[in-house]
Amino acid sequence: MRQTTFALALLTAAVLSACGGSSSEPGVQNVKVKFSSQVAFGDSLSDVGTYNVGTVAALKGGKFNINGDNTAVNATLTGKNYTELLATQLGLPAACAAYTGLDGNATQGFSVPVVQHAGCYIYAQGGARVTNPVGIGNKLTGSALGALTVPVVKQVANHLSLSGGKFTGTELVIVMAGANDVFVNLSQLSTAATAAGTAAGTAAGSAAFGTSLVSQLAAGATNPQTAAVAIGTALQTESARPGHTDATVVAAAVTAAVIAGNTPAASVAVYGPMVATAQAAGTSAGATAGAKAGADYFAANAPALVTTMAGVANELAALVKDQIVAKGANYVVINNMPDIATTPFGRGQAASTVALIDNMVKTFNSTLATAVASESKILYVDTYAVSHDQATNPAPYGLTNVTTPACNLNTTVNPLASSLGCNGGNLATGDVSHYSFADEVHPTPFVQLLLARYVSKYMVTKGWL
């Protein structure tokens, strides 16, 4: 039996009965440790509504989930994420966003002043990275949304500044981050590889076009060998001239051919088919060279991303140990990074990209696990294992679809084209209550419930519940 399936069996026996059986929402239970509050740092997976303002709120969105209470349709469609469910389970006040606001396009309703909410301790923000402030959706990426993407290092600093520079030692602290560092670095590599492929393809295509056209035009000249040199020189000279066009380049080559004795080439009926043949040769050569150059660039630079993610993991581990545990926190849950390769986003990538994603995630997780292994006040939760098992063995979890988003991401019905703007009114057709994913990467309320239960199982084993 798979380890994670066994874990859920343990969870059913040890936790669910105390949390209201198989209910879609865990109930209050008696706990061994009486937590005073829940504090969460991270990204969209833990965000409870940082961007639930302005146009986002008007669209009935706000969280990276299926938003809103849709339990009238199905009991699992609570609209809540695991931090909210854990708060209920632990008898704590409802989880709420420490800060709300947007820093985007005002004309689109995405410029809303940032507000700090007293008594709210969920600092996690969609798009946030571990230390870099420019995350997914940040205005510096060109996004109209203007997501705040306050990095985890600053989230922790903000909490410390509001709590006298320390933790009380009685709060449950949850940390879950790193995925956006994968997405940003992967996007940057993809962009660079595409640029390298485009440059190589353009150069190879131009060379093949010129070679083909020169050869064809020279064949009808008095002396093909010397004509080829003259025509090639004319073509290259015009190609290097600022302001040249494809038409002027062809004209220069044709003129040189006529001078070299190929007078019929002056007619478009003669040189036109030659140009078409040359264009076909250029397109083919360009595509081949471009694809190879792009793939070569990707392969050559992919290992650096794996190294980068190891560095990100060490940064997160140091942050947790030096700024959370060392500042008084006694109960710290670190959820490692889920399996991104098996999300709808991951499944849509080329095999080489999928392999890189998985390597980045696994390296981050293993580095993080090693770095915090000796800390008795840290509970490391392996969400990768359970998310991978859910994706490859969905039936025992009650999952009906692990490949297709539950939300309709067409901008005609979901202007944000993500789970941030997803609600009961723009779901995919059919019963999506037990789908794994709300959009390309974010889980549904049902999977958030499974995550809350999974974290609870680890807390039981640790002796905290």
Side-chain angles (χ1 to χ4, degrees):
M1 180 179 289
R2 294 169 186 259
Q3 179 183 2
T4 47
T5 303
F6 179 62
L8 281 194
L10 284 178
L11 180 55
T12 301
V15 179
L16 297 191
S17 60
C19 298
S22 59
S23 168
S24 63
E25 214 173 312
V28 178
Q29 68 179 91
N30 294 321
V31 296
K32 293 182 179 179
V33 177
K34 182 61 178 177
F35 300 105
S36 61
S37 61
Q38 178 184 215
V39 182
F41 306 109
D43 51 33
S44 54
L45 295 178
S46 308
D47 189 345
V48 296
T50 301
Y51 309 132
N52 189 19
V53 295
T55 295
V56 176
L59 292 171
K60 299 181 180 180
K63 288 181 281 188
F64 296 83
N65 203 334
I66 298 174
N67 288 278
D69 182 352
N70 297 288
T71 53
V73 176
N74 189 286
T76 66
L77 297 175
T78 63
K80 296 182 178 180
N81 75 16
Y82 78 100
T83 62
E84 296 173 283
L85 298 172
L86 283 174
T88 299
Q89 178 182 330
L90 299 174
L92 298 173
C96 51
Y99 291 87
T100 57
L102 283 169
D103 189 25
N105 190 309
T107 62
Q108 294 177 257
F110 296 138
S111 180
V112 181
V114 176
V115 176
Q116 186 264 320
H117 300 276
C120 294
Y121 305 115
I122 308 300
Y123 293 85
Q125 296 187 351
R129 300 170 66 181
V130 173
T131 60
N132 194 312
V134 184
I136 305 292
N138 188 279
K139 69 177 182 180
L140 295 181
T141 67
S143 171
L145 179 65
L148 305 180
T149 68
V150 173
V152 178
V153 64
K154 180 60 175 174
Q155 293 174 20
V156 175
N158 286 342
H159 179 71
L160 290 173
S161 71
L162 295 169
S163 60
K166 60 184 180 180
F167 290 84
T168 65
T170 58
E171 62 272 272
L172 175 65
V173 181
I174 298 177
V175 179
M176 189 176 193
N180 289 315
D181 285 277
V182 170
F183 293 131
V184 170
N185 280 283
L186 189 67
S187 176
Q188 291 173 345
L189 175 59
S190 178
T191 297
T194 298
T198 299
T202 298
S206 295
F209 171 84
T211 298
S212 175
L213 184 60
V214 168
S215 175
Q216 294 178 79
L217 288 172
T222 304
N223 186 328
Q225 186 173 0
T226 58
V229 174
I231 298 168
T233 299
L235 186 146
Q236 292 173 2
T237 300
E238 178 58 21
S239 295
R241 182 182 65 82
H244 74 272
T245 65
D246 290 347
T248 62
V249 170
V250 169
V254 169
T255 298
V258 171
I259 293 174
N262 187 355
T263 54
S267 171
V268 68
V270 175
Y271 77 75
M274 295 181 182
V275 171
T277 297
Q279 288 174 332
T283 299
S284 177
T288 300
K292 183 179 185 305
D296 288 349
Y297 185 96
F298 188 94
N301 290 277
L305 270 64
V306 177
T307 301
T308 293
M309 289 311 300
V312 172
N314 281 321
E315 289 175 341
L316 183 61
L319 174 63
V320 172
K321 291 189 290 186
D322 299 342
Q323 297 300 316
I324 297 180
V325 174
K327 298 292 185 180
N330 292 318
Y331 308 99
V332 183
V333 171
I334 296 181
N335 294 325
N336 71 4
M337 200 185 307
D339 182 5
I340 296 176
T342 56
T343 63
F345 165 79
R347 292 175 188 270
Q349 306 302 310
S352 59
T353 303
V354 172
L356 173 59
I357 291 172
D358 206 38
N359 198 2
M360 292 171 73
V361 173
K362 287 179 176 177
T363 297
F364 174 89
N365 286 342
S366 62
T367 303
L368 181 60
T370 299
V372 302
S374 63
E375 295 287 341
S376 62
K377 296 177 181 180
I378 293 176
L379 173 59
Y380 181 87
V381 178
D382 189 1
T383 63
Y384 178 94
V386 71
S387 62
H388 180 77
D389 200 44
Q390 287 168 353
T392 57
N393 185 38
Y397 298 92
L399 294 165
T400 59
N401 187 313
V402 297
T403 61
T404 308
C407 303
N408 185 334
L409 304 179
N410 190 306
T411 55
T412 59
V413 295
N414 184 344
L416 300 181
S418 82
S419 59
L420 182 61
C422 179
N423 56 61
N426 55 19
L427 296 175
T429 303
D431 180 7
V432 301
S433 61
H434 285 67
Y435 276 37
S436 278
F437 297 98
D439 59 15
E440 295 290 327
V441 294
H442 295 101
T444 59
F446 180 62
V447 173
Q448 289 281 4
L449 172 63
L450 295 181
L451 177 57
R453 291 174 172 175
Y454 192 67
V455 172
S456 295
K457 175 260 173 183
Y458 272 80
M459 292 176 68
V460 168
T461 302
K462 184 74 169 176
W464 293 356
L465 287 181

